[in-house]
Amino acid sequence: KVTRELLEAAPELRIVGRAGIGVDNIEIDAATDQGVIVANAPEGNVRAASEHTVAMAFATARSVPQAHARLKDGEWAKGEFLGTELNGKTLGIVGLGRVGQEVAKKLDSLGMDLVAFDPYISEDRAEQIGAELEDLETTLERADVLTIHTPLTPETAEMIGEAELAEMEGGYIVNCARGGIIDEAALAEAVEEGIVAGAALDVFAEEPLSDESPLLDVEDVILTPHLGASTEAAQENVAVSTAEQV
């Protein structure tokens, strides 16, 4: 984390490069006060993050890790996993930025209908992507699979809580954007109670994820340790982009 204390300790510092999209680990106000430029690499890991999102959507809809674990334990649990086909289902997208648009393109081509919530994008642009623009409540109601692609801001912090999860009855939730956007305790409870069919998360409010997290105790919650940008190509792309920014 690039904090005010760190910035004030480096009087010769001119630029902070973030090898990725989000800059929520940098105190922007403090950087501004010190006259330090903050630059990100918004393009480099878009494909990697979007591919991981698609993988997580299929993993939760078909219980891939759970079935794998049972088989490794010596169980042929063929009759215990009845999956959901994504073809013909509705994908709800919260945030139609670069990654959200790439996910939309991929899952549209796989036969999903698209509905999106993003107050900062025009209806014309959403239409070009092939998505219907709706408010958050309608997006949640219509989505069979909900995917999150917003930065973590005061506006988006815990924007998906108990009430919002109740709107998604029987659906699946994927978050490969930022932790803290979904109320994790509420999500664990919603999946445990069968309100939400399943969830797949790559990001968490606190990382590394605490051993005490309620998410770890729910079978139909799939977790990965913030792997969205962890491909060779993405790491090279963001490194080169950051060097160019400097």
Side-chain angles (χ1 to χ4, degrees):
K1 293 185 178 181
V2 182
T3 62
R4 181 175 291 276
E5 183 182 17
L6 186 152
L7 289 160
E8 289 176 351
E12 300 302 313
L13 188 63
R14 292 291 173 263
I15 182 167
V16 174
R18 165 74 173 94
I21 298 175
V23 291
D24 47 285
N25 60 332
I26 302 167
E27 291 191 24
I28 303 294
D29 291 344
T32 302
D33 292 344
Q34 296 293 115
V36 174
I37 294 167
V38 176
N40 66 347
E43 305 282 353
N45 58 24
V46 168
R47 284 193 180 86
S50 66
E51 286 188 9
H52 195 67
T53 300
V54 172
M56 293 286 264
F58 277 103
T60 186
R62 298 302 298 268
S63 302
V64 173
Q66 297 94 324
H68 168 80
R70 296 280 287 278
L71 191 56
K72 294 280 278 190
D73 285 342
E75 291 183 67
W76 186 262
K78 179 176 171 65
E80 295 185 36
F81 295 103
L82 189 65
T84 297
E85 289 187 21
L86 298 188
N87 179 61
K89 300 296 192 299
T90 298
L91 177 70
I93 309 162
V94 177
L96 266 179
R98 290 178 178 87
V99 180
Q101 290 181 27
E102 196 69 24
V103 170
K105 191 190 309 178
K106 286 174 167 55
L107 287 174
D108 179 41
S109 69
L110 291 171
M112 296 196 79
D113 298 321
L114 309 178
V115 59
F117 168 70
D118 189 328
Y120 302 105
I121 197 168
S122 69
E123 286 193 16
D124 286 347
R125 180 60 185 140
E127 196 173 310
Q128 288 172 5
I129 298 161
E132 290 182 61
L133 214 51
E134 296 281 9
D135 59 27
L136 180 59
E137 184 177 353
T138 306
T139 300
L140 292 167
E141 285 176 355
R142 292 182 57 186
D144 297 299
V145 178
L146 185 77
T147 181
I148 311 290
H149 299 290
T150 70
L152 179 63
T153 66
E155 188 181 8
T156 63
E158 294 201 351
M159 76 185 301
I160 308 295
E162 184 179 353
E164 289 75 22
L165 292 165
E167 301 282 355
M168 279 213 63
E169 190 165 357
Y172 298 90
I173 296 180
V174 178
N175 185 12
C176 295
R178 278 289 179 267
I181 295 168
I182 300 174
D183 180 333
E184 292 174 3
L187 177 62
E189 187 175 344
V191 177
E192 186 72 65
E193 293 181 358
I195 296 166
V196 173
L201 307 180
D202 185 48
V203 290
F204 310 95
E206 290 186 20
E207 297 181 4
L209 186 65
S210 165
D211 292 342
E212 306 298 314
S213 171
L215 295 168
L216 294 167
D217 298 324
V218 185
E219 184 180 3
D220 290 322
V221 175
I222 297 167
L223 310 172
T224 53
H226 207 142
L227 299 179
S230 294
T231 67
E232 283 188 31
Q235 292 304 297
E236 182 175 330
N237 290 343
V238 295
V240 170
S241 178
T242 302
E244 289 173 346
Q245 293 275 34
V246 173

